[in-house]
Amino acid sequence: MPPDASRLKTCWRQFVTTGALDEAHRAHVPQPIYRSWQRCSLRLAPFRPPRLPQAREEMLEHVRLNLFDMLATARPCLEDVLQFSEGAGFVLVLTDSTGCVLEVLGDPDAKRAMSAYQVRPGAYWSEGAAGTNAIALALLDAMPIEVVGAGHYLQAFHTLTTAAAPIHDVSGHVLGTFAMIGPLDRYNAHTLATVMATTRAIHNQLHTDYYLATANRHLTELQSVFRAISDGVISWNPQGHITHMNERAGDLLGISPEHARGRPLSDVVQLPPLVQQAQQEKRTLLDAEVTLWVGQRSFDVMLCFHPIHHGPYCLGYLATIRPVKRVRNLVHRIVNMPTTITLDDIPAFSPASRRVIRLARQAARGRAPVLLHGESGTGKSSLAAAIHNSSPRANGAFITVHCRTIPHELMVPEFLGIDQSTDNSRPSKFELADGGTLLLTDIEYLSLEMQSALLHVIDSGMVMRLAGTRAIPVDVRIIASTTADLDELVRAGHFHADLLYRFNAFRITVPPLRERREDLETLIERTASRIGRHTQRRVHIAPDAMAILCRYDWPGNIRELESVLERIILTNDRSLIRPQDVPSYLHHATPHHPAEPVTSPFPPTSLADLEREAIVRAGWACRGNVSRMAVQLGISRTTLWRRMKQYGIDPNQFRTPSRS
């Protein structure tokens, strides 16, 4: 029996009699209990036997199901308390947030005794139903409390002592209460402390379960991410032991992730010096092209390295890897020349064009390097793309390198790349074009050192990066284009003869527009149609305007033709191009060829005369270009030079005179 039970009884009588307490008695009643008496006085009769609401069985099961986690967590704690309170006459009670009793634990005698007070599953011990009691006040004030004897508003419960504390979830919401209820004459001063300790244990376990479930969920999500991403992932702790390896990393390196976990990283994968140095310096490494060694096997990968920090501490390291070839394929799709032109798309009605297309088809089926020679703007790059797209390499990369734009001192590292010993490592142009075609425009601008390196790549199919220690196999088709006389450059010592010999297998001379008059009309129509599509217009060319365009020699070839047509279309809002729309200087075009001097007023009377006549006509047709004259005549350049010297023929006499 608590020592102040009789004084509390006196205070209760005064309150239920007068509806209030004087100052002297109020000091003996805790404020939460006094406020509850005031609320209860408005709706409950203190002397009437209580009739607590009872939840239906199906409703009670529904509530228990919703609070399954709380009940499952609390039951072991309650069973521990029950072992120490057995025989004390108290029962242990769990309620939900409305005061509905969910579980009652205790020895049979205690449960039978408390059942007389309606302490049973389904009964509502809310303040509105049971008056002032510890369960109701713990829910209302969200704090532990004990109500003893006459502290209960209803007289029927004056022989009870109740102690309860709220149970909160991780977000602070009240899930229910844990209470101990027993007879007043079995009062124990430690009951409330026991309730508070038990509630705290339940609360801690709920938090632990929540954070464990959250961690497991995050781990499951992380593992799903590791399985879903296309990159390989490897992590290891500061001691160097592998903590995780996803299946993709195992597939890339030929390792079983299950067997690798827990083993020293150095026993499984040998990291290159660049990554080892980054690990020592605890710094991030992004997109480094490196070689990983697994036993005697090497794997070229793109690697990202990240130290895992928690405040000032390093918890481990994480590396993601992807095959270099897959990265290069992605680069090919992004930077590849956006053209689908094939040899069938190139107009070839003139004999010169048909000869070029025939040679190009042969080159497309082969593997040897190709040399495209011709004046500037004749469409050598488009022909190279057409050869690529008509070859078995059509699905591979088509990469263009403009040799003229690269300074000589940067040419070798630009072409051969830099090895992985530094953060600035980069692949060679041959590796980027692996499986496809590499077009080298203006090849005459290659330095002699780079010419030698190119010849080595063509001969061996291997490339060695700068500062590299191993040869990298490459499968790439080389196409070169030039406007220069490479034979003359060879004689002058500016071009390697061996490299030129390599290109002689497929050496194609692309004729200028003035030598392919039959192609002009189709070429003009297609170019005008393409430019019109870009401006969302249908463009037509009047016959008399077409005649003016076809009569012009086009010294700038296709590049000049495209520029003129673009200017005409963009400065004209009509769909029909008329003669007055054509620039004036095209109206005064010279004849197709400069007037050829009469070689002889009489028919040739000897084989020498016939030979000289053929050389002269070839000279006028090829504008004095000795290489093309030799091809047209079907003899070597050396033989042609000897014959020209014999007959006193100067190739400069065939050059096109300057326009006024």
Side-chain angles (χ1 to χ4, degrees), residues 153-171:
Y153 183 73
L154 298 184
Q155 187 182 33
F157 296 144
H158 283 189
T159 55
L160 293 179
T161 176
T162 60
I167 300 174
H168 298 89
D169 63 11
V170 292
S171 59

Side-chain angles (χ1 to χ4, degrees), residues 142-322:
M143 59 181 294
I145 194 169
E146 184 177 45
V147 180
V148 180
H152 298 89
Y153 183 73
L154 298 184
Q155 187 182 33
F157 296 144
H158 283 189
T159 55
L160 293 179
T161 176
T162 60
I167 300 174
H168 298 89
D169 63 11
V170 292
S171 59
H173 297 110
V174 175
L175 297 175
T177 66
F178 166 61
M180 293 183 67
I181 303 176
L184 181 60
D185 57 1
R186 306 293 292 272
Y187 170 80
N188 190 307
H190 303 293
T191 301
L192 181 59
T194 302
V195 169
M196 294 173 61
T198 305
T199 305
R200 188 176 299 111
I202 297 172
H203 179 268
N204 292 341
Q205 189 61 49
L206 285 174
H207 277 237
T208 300
D209 292 346
Y210 171 80
Y211 291 127
L212 182 60
T214 302
N216 287 335
R217 185 175 68 252
H218 290 169
L219 181 59
T220 301
E221 293 173 355
L222 186 61
Q223 290 174 342
S224 299
V225 170
F226 285 161
R227 286 193 297 267
I229 62 176
S230 57
D231 290 356
V233 180
I234 306 174
S235 63
W236 60 97
N237 59 24
Q239 291 73 39
H241 291 82
I242 296 175
T243 56
H244 183 82
M245 176 183 290
N246 70 347
E247 295 178 1
R248 181 58 177 161
D251 294 339
L252 291 178
L253 303 176
I255 301 171
S256 171
E258 291 77 11
H259 295 160
R261 294 189 188 103
R263 295 177 59 190
L265 179 66
S266 57
D267 290 353
V268 180
V269 180
Q270 183 63 44
L271 298 178
L274 179 63
V275 181
Q276 294 180 17
Q277 183 178 358
Q279 179 175 333
Q280 292 174 359
E281 298 173 359
K282 304 287 192 300
R283 61 182 174 88
T284 298
L285 201 61
L286 297 177
D287 296 327
E289 186 175 348
V290 300
T291 300
L292 301 180
W293 288 87
V294 179
Q296 299 300 317
R297 296 173 300 163
S298 64
F299 299 89
D300 295 329
V301 299
M302 295 293 291
L303 181 143
C304 294
F305 171 79
H306 300 273
I308 304 172
H309 291 290
H310 181 70
Y313 305 104
C314 181
L315 303 181
Y317 309 94
L318 178 73
T320 61
I321 58 175
R322 66 181 69 177

Side-chain angles (χ1 to χ4, degrees), residues 89-102:
F90 279 81
V91 293
L92 313 181
V93 179
L94 283 174
T95 75
D96 67 1
S97 58
T98 66
C100 179
V101 176
L102 303 178

Side-chain angles (χ1 to χ4, degrees), residues 72-86:
T73 302
R75 181 173 286 275
C77 298
L78 267 60
E79 290 177 349
D80 290 341
V81 175
L82 190 61
Q83 290 182 356
F84 294 100
S85 62
E86 189 173 4

Side-chain angles (χ1 to χ4, degrees), residues 371 373 483-492 500-501 504 507 509 615 622-646 649 651 655:
L371 177 64
H373 178 269
T483 59
D485 187 341
L486 295 185
D487 294 286
E488 193 66 35
L489 293 178
V490 169
R491 284 192 293 272
L500 183 58
Y501 296 153
N504 280 340
R507 191 168 179 175
T509 299
I615 293 174
C622 299
R623 295 292 186 270
N625 187 307
V626 178
S627 297
R628 288 167 47 209
M629 290 170 62
V631 172
Q632 183 167 323
L633 292 170
I635 60 177
S636 68
R637 279 174 52 89
T638 304
T639 301
L640 178 58
W641 277 108
R642 188 167 60 249
R643 294 285 190 272
M644 291 173 65
K645 184 177 181 180
Q646 176 184 344
I649 299 174
R655 310 294 185 191

